[in-house]
Amino acid sequence: MSGNAVWNGVVYAFTLKGFAGRARSRSAELYGPLVLTQTGRSVCACEVPQEGKTLFSRSLMWRGRCAALLALLAVAVGVYLLPSPIDPKPHLLKGPPPALEGPLAVNTRLQRGRRLFTGKLHGPESFAADEQGNVYTGSVDGKLWRIGPDDSLTFITHTGQNRPECGSSTDYEPVCGRPHGVRLDRRGQLIVADSYFGLYSVDPQMGEKTLLVASSEGANGVPFAFLNGLEISSRTGVVYFTDSSSRWGRRHVRLEVMELNSLGRLLSYEPQTGNVTVLLDSLYMPNGIALSPDETFLLLAETSIARILRYWLKGPKAGTKEVVLDNMIGYPDNIRLSDHGTFLVGMTTPRFQKVLPPFLDLVAPYPAVKRLLVKIIPLSWFNILLPYYGLVLELGLDGEIVGTLHDPQGRLTWAVSDVFQHRGRTYLGSTDLPFLPVLES
């Protein structure tokens, strides 16, 4: 057997006698690899015995493991060097979640209802009602709907473009729109906070809409990025609303929650002049708002830090805020007045202490961990962490918890966004569920 071999960059010709036959035989595997040695200017070829082959195989295995480890290290360094979409700051909640006892004790009161419009109405997030018994809401596909007293469902209009893709993915929301807060003003017009486009006035019968304030205009030179909660004074007609973030839109709400920034604002719109005023800024994802019965104050949910504030509109404290409820059992969404003068709070996600603290509690103090997580985990995967648990809090006017409604298994609903009572029925909102849960009195 003859051929060429390379040693230290030099090509050598060699001839091996008596080996050719064995090379053609599978039994040659017993002799191991061919090794060339150089002495002076001569080259010798020899066969390595089986013991040498074992050492050689182990060497190759060790080198393979090293190569895999280096590749893994290179990937890790690459991921670390990639810019993160969020810029979180360390944050500590006031303590572990409260125990499920007293007024927070688990019950099944939220299971005593039924679902309407399954597969027809997706994500009815907020509600308003007129004197004729019609209820109004908006859905994930950018549409506004009227629910009749006979439970009929009628399309009114859409806030954005009417495209077949609307509602199929949040990626289309900047085109299709997403109505969040809805209320009726004193003239019977539907006022809508669309998360992407701004404040609208809509004729609930004809469907004609007027853009009152565009998100691109914003307030004080800062555009709106995520319009959310809405409330209207029955006495003055002033519209109060929240911009949950000046950085992240609704379709990136998980980034907003993970970043835990204070870029939200509470604002007011004066219908007579069209003026927009910033009442509070530096808020943590301000969400639902509700006026007190005498309209001396409003309650405001800071969703991302599980807190509710009181903002005074009248009296010696007018223009100031104070914490009413902190370290809550979950993350509050909309706040509504009940039919007997208390506040009802929909909890978008419960915050329960189990073997480990809640996920957001765990990562809140560690910005580096959060920056890494959003780089390596698809945002949709965070849904795995959301329990199928429905929860509603009832608060007194002083903010004290006086009662709760639970659906521990999510049999009727979960991720409650709004709790609206009208004519003996309670409508339970959601941001994404394909049905409308209701409780009958």
Side-chain angles (χ1 to χ4, degrees):
M1 177 180 178
S2 62
N4 295 327
V6 179
W7 182 269
N8 288 344
V10 181
V11 179
Y12 298 91
F14 64 89
T15 300
L16 296 177
K17 296 181 179 180
F19 184 78
R22 289 197 302 270
R24 288 192 296 267
S25 172
R26 292 182 59 87
S27 63
E29 294 177 1
L30 298 175
Y31 291 87
L34 183 68
V35 178
L36 299 178
T37 60
Q38 181 179 15
T39 305
R41 297 182 62 181
S42 64
V43 178
C44 300
C46 63
E47 299 175 30
V48 181
Q50 185 62 36
E51 293 80 3
K53 179 182 179 182
T54 301
L55 293 176
F56 187 76
S57 298
R58 289 178 179 176
S59 176
L60 287 178
M61 184 180 301
W62 182 83
R63 291 180 182 180
R65 290 176 178 176
C66 286
L69 183 60
L70 288 174
L72 184 61
L73 181 61
V75 171
V77 172
V79 171
Y80 178 79
L81 294 177
L82 281 175
S84 176
I86 63 174
D87 182 25
K89 302 293 187 295
H91 183 84
L92 288 175
L93 295 171
K94 297 299 181 180
L100 292 172
E101 58 188 23
L104 291 175
V106 176
N107 57 65
T108 57
R109 294 172 60 194
L110 204 57
Q111 294 180 350
R112 303 168 188 172
R114 59 195 179 100
R115 296 174 179 178
L116 302 177
F117 314 120
T118 299
K120 300 178 181 178
L121 189 60
H122 293 250
E125 208 270 347
S126 180
F127 307 95
D130 61 23
E131 295 179 355
Q132 289 72 44
N134 296 301
V135 174
Y136 301 90
T137 190
S139 51
V140 295
D141 50 8
K143 296 178 180 179
L144 294 168
W145 303 88
R146 179 173 62 251
I147 302 169
D150 59 350
D151 287 341
S152 59
L153 184 64
T154 304
F155 167 73
I156 301 174
T157 189
H158 41 78
T159 55
Q161 297 180 24
N162 187 18
R163 299 173 56 174
E165 300 87 356
C166 292
S168 62
S169 168
T170 55
D171 292 337
Y172 293 102
E173 288 187 352
V175 175
C176 304
R178 184 23 167 143
H180 262 239
V182 295
R183 298 290 189 276
L184 285 166
D185 66 11
R186 295 184 295 177
R187 299 181 298 112
Q189 297 296 291
L190 196 62
I191 305 301
V192 181
D194 184 275
S195 292
Y196 297 90
F197 297 128
L199 278 183
Y200 280 103
S201 175
V202 178
D203 185 320
Q205 302 302 321
M206 305 301 294
E208 297 175 353
K209 62 189 179 192
T210 303
L211 185 60
L212 303 176
V213 184
S215 289
S216 57
E217 295 178 19
N220 292 357
V222 180
F224 305 141
F226 187 177
L227 291 194
N228 202 332
L230 185 69
E231 182 71 296
I232 301 178
S233 168
S234 61
R235 303 182 182 186
T236 65
V238 172
V239 179
Y240 300 96
F241 62 102
T242 57
D243 183 22
S244 291
S245 175
S246 59
R247 176 178 296 167
W248 299 111
R250 195 197 91 92
R251 64 193 181 115
H252 294 131
V253 65
R254 294 176 183 85
L255 293 178
E256 169 69 23
V257 172
M258 287 290 287
E259 187 172 66
L260 210 63
N261 62 58
S262 56
L263 298 175
R265 297 182 290 179
L266 170 67
L267 309 104
S268 65
Y269 168 77
E270 173 55 61
Q272 303 300 325
T273 63
N275 291 335
V276 177
T277 303
V278 178
L279 303 177
L280 289 174
D281 58 12
S282 300
L283 298 174
Y284 289 88
M285 196 180 171
N287 198 330
I289 49 180
L291 286 163
S292 63
D294 61 3
E295 297 192 1
T296 58
F297 66 87
L298 59 77
L299 293 187
L300 180 151
E302 286 187 292
T303 299
S304 60
I305 59 172
R307 185 167 75 177
I308 291 179
L309 302 178
R310 186 198 326 262
Y311 177 74
W312 290 96
L313 298 169
K314 300 177 182 178
K317 296 183 180 179
T320 65
K321 66 177 181 180
E322 59 191 26
V323 176
V324 169
L325 200 57
D326 204 352
N327 193 38
M328 297 174 67
I329 193 64
Y331 301 95
D333 202 320
N334 283 315
I335 308 173
R336 303 300 294 265
L337 271 179
S338 72
D339 55 13
H340 53 279
T342 58
F343 292 106
L344 296 173
V345 185
M347 307 301 289
T348 182
T349 306
R351 179 174 161 256
F352 295 153
Q353 178 81 35
K354 296 184 178 180
V355 178
L356 294 174
F359 171 73
L360 291 177
D361 288 36
L362 278 174
V363 300
Y366 308 108
V369 173
K370 293 199 285 187
R371 282 194 291 266
L372 177 63
L373 287 176
V374 299
K375 287 191 287 186
I376 63 176
I377 300 178
L379 293 180
S380 60
W381 289 17
F382 286 103
N383 289 339
I384 299 173
L385 302 172
L386 303 180
Y388 286 76
Y389 197 109
L391 181 61
V392 172
L393 304 187
E394 184 176 10
L395 310 180
L397 294 181
D398 58 357
E400 181 183 358
I401 299 175
V402 298
T404 54
L405 291 83
H406 296 245
D407 184 351
Q409 294 82 29
R411 292 179 181 175
L412 177 66
T413 191
W414 58 94
V416 180
S417 68
D418 199 12
V419 190
F420 177 64
Q421 294 185 329
H422 180 65
R423 293 192 175 185
R425 175 185 278 180
T426 300
Y427 296 81
L428 301 168
S430 71
T431 56
D432 297 293
L433 301 184
F435 50 81
L436 170 58
V438 296
L439 303 177
E440 309 291 350
S441 60

